[in-house]
Amino acid sequence: MLVDIGALTAQDLVRATAMRQRHDARIGDILLAHGMVNETTLYAILAKQYGAEVANFDAHAADVRLIDALGADECLRKGLLPWRRVGSTVLIASCRPEQFEDMRPRLTALFGPVRMAVISETTMHEALMQSRQRKLAKAAETRVAAHESCRELDIARLTRVMSAIGFVVIAATVAFPHAMFLALVCWAILVLVITSILKLAAAFAQARVSQKRQSTFSTTRRTQKLPTVSVMVPLFHEREIAGRLVKRLSKLTYPRELLDICLVVEEDDTITQDAVARTDLPRWMRMIVVPRGGVKTKPRALNFALDFCRGTLIGIYDAEDAPEPDQIHKVAHHFAQAPPDVACVQGILDFYNARTNWLARCFTVEYASWFRIILPGYERLGLVVPLGGTTLFFRREAIEKLGGWDAHNVTEDADLGIRLARHGYRTELIRTVTDEEANCRLWPWIKQRSRWLKGYAMTWAMHMRNPRKLLADLGWWKFFGVQVLFFGALSNFLLAPLLWSFWSMPLGLHHPLQDVVPNGTFLALGALFLMSEVITVAIGMLATSTPKHKGLWKWVPTLHFYYPLGTLAAIKGLWEVVTRPYYWDKTAHGLHDLIADPDHQDNVSPQVEQKPKISVQDAGSATGDQLNVDAFAVTQSAQTHSDATVLHSTAPLVLKPCNRVAIGDVPYKLTQANRVDPPTFKHASGFREARADFDNMPAATPRQRRLTFGLNLAYDVKDIVPVSEPVQNDAGFTGANSDLSPVRPAPKRHGSDTSAHENPIATGQNIMPKLLQNLPRPVADNAQMAPDMAHTAAFSDTPEWLPVSPRQKLRRLKRAINGLSPKRK
């Protein structure tokens, strides 16, 4: 029907049908995602197809009584909106008309006779926001059951208990200073030893798994359609980061018709709303405004936006995140292979400004140890996994069953990890990395860490209101893990000053316990403390043994000066538990994230070595029918790489009509004798949008193609002749300022000099391999699920600074031989 009225081309219909067979998406969503039709035309034709009318809310507003009868949240989940009553019949507007008949029995039981009207999803969301946004906002605060939420936590009682404990400790310290000092030191040592043993066990568990390299290709033969994935990105007072966030998320290679990015913004946050409004959002990215409510926290915003999501998988990113381009492919593949009880997948977090200063380096070491060794080890030991705040993906049915996130908990991620375990779900970690911005300023770091520790205290207190129920839900092993992870972490930070006194032993100073306990006991306590410090340093060394963290191992010993900052944060966090339990201490973003933007050439970090661009610029001009394309110019944006950051070189190639190329400093012209056929294309994600643009482009204008695979620029170099006039690039610069390829002829043998202006054609060389030798190697579709071992697995290879056994040397030699070509073997 769309083709008949001229709203859709036959070619677009064929492509959309092919995508529909591979993806779990409606044909209409595919057409809209690729801009093949507009939304108004699509739903008008749908109404004609189903013999229904298009709902017009301007003429007749939606009846809020009918909406409340069904429930605003149910309207969002089912894509239905009770519109108005006409006689004895209720008109139900639906943005999913193909599902209406399945819902008819329930709607008839609720409203009586019903009739369908068609409405676009955008219009339905706007109508609900206008009529029932306050009710939806209130529901977002109370989605989690009361017995599992911090909103029912008796803060007054908790304050009395904490005050009583503090008073008793102070009074006992004044009355019996030596005895109290010994008791507190012993408790701190005990908790530290238990924590260190768990870390060591986690490291060994992760080491055994990391040595088993995963296969690049999946062995499964069953056909699986990719699911729709919704990713929520909470934003608050993000003036500078909105445009860069859109650019980073646009590098995701997941099919656009299956991608739903929701930018979640508070209603009174006009700063972020204006920043997003100035940004040209693609069709698959939209902004959701959260109305004002009783609390203003990230989990409340996530709860509100959850019902507006379209996907069966729900993900979370932070404002400053730079995920791997194929990350969502890996997540979808992992969920497809995982059993149903795996409700959550956690990715690895890292930093792209790791070398900004000392604080950023230590923060990077801490994250590397936690996300690459300790947390995966906890998962393999069967302990509860406290989630991170970003790069989380959930099965929608599971997160809705749990009621979403606790809107009154400032560490909703850690709390959700416990609630998942209590309901019988599991969390698994996958080898995909998201780079974010390290908080590398002292006071903001303390504020951020204090919020985390405050949330740990509130989460532990809430779940320990009924210890027997918690024990029955988790079992002894996981219950023990929760006590160590949450209460043990708080104890370590608060009692850390007592443990610092043991550093007086290596310095030859007197320790207060030497006068209280026997010398053997004192030495045993000191040895346990030093052993735990050695374990912490060893895990940090292993975590930073990857190529991405090259050189950070030497900063691991300085963690002894880094962790004391956590004591200040713990004191601040516990004080806020009493004074401001639901206050969300905002962390500023966008201060050091320009290093993650390869296109931001003015803000490249000094540590980043910028590679020159590889380009063959268009120097010719032709219009209309006179256009005679002899070649296509290849332009690749500059790729940057350093030890400080790993940038994703997935920018598509842009082909432009041209008749000149540059080799070294010399321009060459292609003769008319040898025309070059357009490059051949193969299927690749990221090519669909460009293909649609190419086919819809007028014939009288030069066409651009985005190329990912199948590059074929081979032509006979005898048809390239040098030209005397300077080559002008797209920016209008000539000569030394022009953006020319640095490809030069190979030097002659025996040390003979080669002139910069020597024609390489005279030597009979094929220049195209040299022209393309620095282009990034494409990643095949079937390799998108493969783990990036070099950047994710800390144990994949033995670090160079560790002794290597003969067996390991033989294993390295075999891997090196297997990587050679058959001829070189």
Side-chain angles (χ1 to χ4, degrees):
M1 296 170 70
L2 289 169
V3 172
D4 289 342
I5 66 173
L8 178 67
T9 65
Q11 293 84 355
D12 287 341
L13 178 58
V14 171
R15 288 198 302 273
T17 306
M19 295 178 190
R20 178 65 181 87
Q21 294 175 353
R22 298 192 302 269
H23 303 153
D24 187 14
R26 299 180 301 172
I27 189 72
D29 292 335
I30 296 174
L31 298 176
L32 292 175
H34 293 277
M36 299 177 183
V37 298
N38 62 69
E39 191 175 53
T40 303
T41 303
L42 174 67
Y43 281 93
I45 293 299
L46 282 174
K48 184 178 180 181
Q49 176 185 350
Y50 285 93
E53 64 177 302
V54 178
N56 186 357
F57 291 104
D58 294 331
H60 301 280
D63 191 338
V64 295
R65 294 170 298 179
L66 298 177
I67 296 176
D68 292 340
L70 181 61
D73 54 346
E74 189 71 8
C75 290
L76 289 171
R77 282 193 287 268
K78 300 300 182 182
L80 300 172
L81 182 63
W83 181 17
R84 60 193 179 100
R85 187 180 293 274
V86 180
S88 61
T89 303
V90 174
L91 288 177
I92 307 292
S94 173
C95 62
R96 304 169 192 168
E98 73 280 359
Q99 300 177 3
F100 186 80
E101 290 301 322
D102 296 334
M103 295 291 298
R104 183 182 290 274
R106 180 184 175 188
L107 296 174
T108 302
L110 189 61
F111 298 109
V114 295
R115 185 158 55 92
M116 183 183 69
V118 175
I119 184 178
S120 68
E121 187 178 49
T122 303
T123 307
M124 188 196 74
H125 288 174
E126 292 176 352
L128 275 174
M129 288 292 289
Q130 292 176 1
S131 59
R132 279 295 174 258
Q133 65 171 348
R134 300 301 170 189
K135 190 168 186 178
L136 289 170
K138 183 64 177 178
E141 300 177 11
T142 58
R143 292 189 68 149
V144 176
H147 67 280
E148 293 184 340
S149 172
C150 287
R151 70 178 182 271
E152 296 295 327
L153 190 63
D154 191 347
I155 300 298
R157 179 175 178 272
L158 182 62
T159 301
R160 292 194 298 269
V161 171
M162 293 177 59
S163 301
I165 293 175
F167 177 78
V168 170
V169 171
I170 294 174
T173 302
V174 173
F176 311 100
H178 294 289
M180 280 301 300
F181 186 77
L182 176 61
L184 292 177
V185 167
C186 290
W187 171 254
I189 289 290
L190 176 63
V191 173
L192 186 64
V193 169
I194 294 175
T195 304
S196 300
I197 292 176
L198 269 184
K199 288 182 180 178
L200 194 61
F204 278 108
Q206 172 66 359
R208 288 196 301 269
V209 175
S210 296
Q211 290 293 346
K212 301 177 182 178
R213 293 184 176 268
Q214 299 182 5
S215 174
T216 300
F217 301 96
S218 176
T219 57
T220 180
R221 291 294 182 183
R222 67 176 183 266
T223 302
Q224 298 172 343
K225 292 186 177 181
L226 292 177
T228 301
V229 179
S230 293
V231 180
M232 295 185 287
V233 187
L235 304 175
F236 187 69
H237 287 177
E238 307 292 354
R239 184 192 305 272
E240 304 293 338
I241 206 170
R244 281 170 269 162
L245 171 66
V246 172
K247 183 180 294 186
R248 287 194 289 259
L249 295 184
S250 296
K251 295 180 181 179
L252 293 171
T253 60
Y254 204 68
R256 296 300 184 245
E257 62 272 14
L258 301 177
L259 191 58
D260 177 32
I261 303 293
C262 302
L263 307 181
V264 186
V265 183
E266 296 287 343
E267 182 182 17
D268 55 359
D269 183 11
T270 58
I271 296 175
T272 306
Q273 292 183 39
D274 293 342
V276 175
R278 293 192 302 267
T279 306
D280 186 15
L281 295 182
R283 168 75 192 181
W284 44 272
M285 190 177 294
R286 55 200 169 107
M287 180 172 63
I288 298 176
V289 179
V290 182
R292 297 180 181 89
V295 294
K296 186 186 294 184
T297 58
K298 174 183 174 181
R300 172 183 173 271
L302 294 176
N303 284 340
F304 181 85
L306 178 60
D307 290 332
F308 290 86
C309 293
R310 306 186 184 116
T312 56
L313 298 180
I314 306 296
I316 300 175
Y317 285 145
D318 277 344
E320 76 279 15
D321 284 355
E324 289 180 349
D326 60 346
Q327 184 172 100
I328 301 184
H329 274 288
K330 294 180 180 180
V331 170
H333 175 76
H334 189 90
F335 272 119
Q337 304 297 325
D341 64 334
V342 177
C344 176
V345 164
Q346 167 77 68
I348 297 174
L349 301 184
D350 214 319
F351 298 121
Y352 44 66
N353 62 326
R355 289 168 172 80
T356 302
N357 54 24
W358 169 79
L359 191 60
R361 290 182 175 92
C362 292
F363 207 168
T364 304
V365 173
E366 181 187 15
Y367 258 43
S369 302
W370 181 253
F371 284 100
R372 297 173 185 269
I373 294 181
I374 298 176
L375 209 57
Y378 283 172
E379 176 213 330
R380 289 169 176 83
L381 291 175
L383 296 173
V384 174
V385 178
L387 306 177
T390 179
T391 316
L392 294 170
F393 293 87
F394 304 90
R395 297 187 193 270
R396 180 165 189 159
E397 62 272 16
I399 195 66
E400 288 182 343
K401 181 180 178 181
L402 267 65
W405 295 263
D406 185 3
H408 294 76
N409 195 322
V410 295
T411 53
E412 79 293 341
D413 42 11
D415 168 72
L416 184 56
I418 298 180
R419 288 195 289 122
L420 284 170
R422 295 188 70 169
H423 285 265
Y425 292 109
R426 290 194 298 118
T427 299
E428 293 185 351
L429 278 83
I430 60 174
R431 289 172 174 173
T432 179
V433 180
T434 295
D435 289 331
E436 56 182 13
E437 181 184 2
N439 198 343
C440 52
R441 295 180 299 160
L442 182 61
W443 182 241
W445 186 95
I446 293 176
K447 290 168 56 177
Q448 183 187 57
R449 190 58 58 97
S450 68
R451 173 169 58 84
W452 295 353
L453 294 175
K454 177 176 72 172
Y456 266 41
M458 294 178 65
T459 299
W460 181 82
M462 189 276 298
H463 287 282
M464 285 296 290
R465 285 183 297 182
N466 190 344
R468 291 184 178 179
K469 182 67 168 59
L470 180 63
L471 177 61
D473 292 340
L474 297 179
W476 280 103
W477 178 238
K478 291 183 178 180
F479 179 84
F480 168 74
V482 168
Q483 306 307 313
V484 174
L485 289 174
F486 289 87
F487 186 71
L490 294 171
S491 297
N492 282 337
F493 281 112
L494 289 176
L495 300 179
L498 300 179
L499 299 177
W500 301 340
S501 61
F502 283 98
W503 287 113
S504 61
M505 297 170 55
L507 299 177
L509 301 177
H510 181 75
H511 193 277
L513 287 182
Q514 288 179 316
D515 301 331
V516 180
V517 298
N519 189 49
T521 304
F522 172 73
L523 292 177
L525 292 176
L528 291 175
F529 169 73
L530 293 177
M531 179 197 68
S532 65
E533 295 297 306
V534 170
I535 292 176
T536 300
V537 171
I539 291 177
M541 291 284 189
L542 289 173
T544 56
S545 63
T546 64
K548 183 174 183 178
H549 302 96
K550 183 179 180 181
L552 286 180
W553 63 268
K554 57 188 176 184
W555 298 94
V556 174
T558 64
L559 292 177
H560 298 302
F561 306 99
Y562 168 79
Y563 284 120
L565 299 176
T567 299
L568 300 177
I571 295 174
K572 179 179 180 295
L574 290 182
W575 175 254
E576 288 185 353
V577 169
V578 178
T579 58
R580 297 189 296 178
Y582 307 131
Y583 172 70
W584 188 280
D585 214 339
K586 174 72 172 61
T587 302
H589 299 143
L591 301 177
H592 301 87
D593 74 329
L594 292 177
I595 190 174
D597 187 358
D599 299 327
H600 225 294
Q601 301 302 333
D602 297 335
N603 298 281
V604 178
S605 173
Q607 292 87 359
V608 177
E609 178 187 357
Q610 184 176 345
K611 294 184 180 180
K613 294 182 179 180
I614 302 175
S615 61
V616 184
Q617 298 292 346
D618 178 18
S621 62
T623 59
D625 297 333
Q626 297 177 354
L627 178 62
N628 189 0
V629 180
D630 295 304
F632 288 83
V634 184
T635 305
Q636 172 68 25
S637 299
Q639 306 296 327
T640 56
H641 174 75
S642 71
D643 297 338
T645 180
V646 174
L647 302 174
H648 308 300
S649 56
T650 61
L653 302 176
V654 179
L655 278 73
K656 304 177 181 179
C658 74
N659 59 2
R660 302 184 187 181
V661 295
I663 307 172
D665 298 329
V666 184
Y668 293 89
K669 182 171 64 176
L670 297 177
T671 64
Q672 298 292 332
N674 188 3
R675 293 178 54 85
V676 180
D677 294 331
T680 57
F681 289 87
K682 296 180 181 179
H683 168 69
S685 56
F687 167 70
R688 303 178 183 89
E689 301 89 342
R691 179 68 207 187
D693 294 339
F694 179 86
D695 289 336
N696 295 328
M697 194 171 295
T701 60
R703 295 179 174 180
Q704 287 190 0
R705 288 195 179 187
R706 295 184 182 274
L707 174 64
T708 306
F709 302 112
L711 182 62
N712 180 13
L713 288 179
Y715 52 85
D716 197 348
V717 297
K718 69 177 183 298
D719 296 303
I720 304 180
V721 296
V723 294
S724 57
E725 63 270 20
V727 177
Q728 184 178 9
N729 62 10
D730 291 341
F733 297 102
T734 59
N737 293 329
S738 60
D739 187 13
L740 298 177
S741 171
V743 179
R744 299 182 182 276
K748 295 182 179 180
R749 295 181 180 272
H750 308 296
S752 60
D753 297 331
T754 303
S755 173
H757 296 282
E758 181 181 355
N759 186 356
I761 287 84
T763 62
Q765 302 176 28
N766 187 351
I767 66 168
M768 293 315 298
K770 293 182 177 296
L771 187 64
L772 303 175
Q773 62 183 353
N774 291 327
L775 291 180
R777 296 180 61 186
V779 182
D781 280 348
N782 52 10
Q784 287 178 345
M785 310 300 179
D788 188 0
M789 300 293 294
H791 291 166
T792 58
F795 290 89
S796 57
D797 291 301
T798 305
E800 296 179 356
W801 41 266
L802 288 180
V804 181
S805 65
R807 179 176 298 177
Q808 290 173 324
K809 290 181 180 179
L810 182 60
R811 189 182 300 116
R812 287 184 179 180
L813 181 60
K814 289 181 178 179
R815 286 203 296 263
I817 294 175
N818 291 333
L820 297 177
S821 62
K823 183 176 180 180
R824 294 185 63 188
K825 285 182 183 179

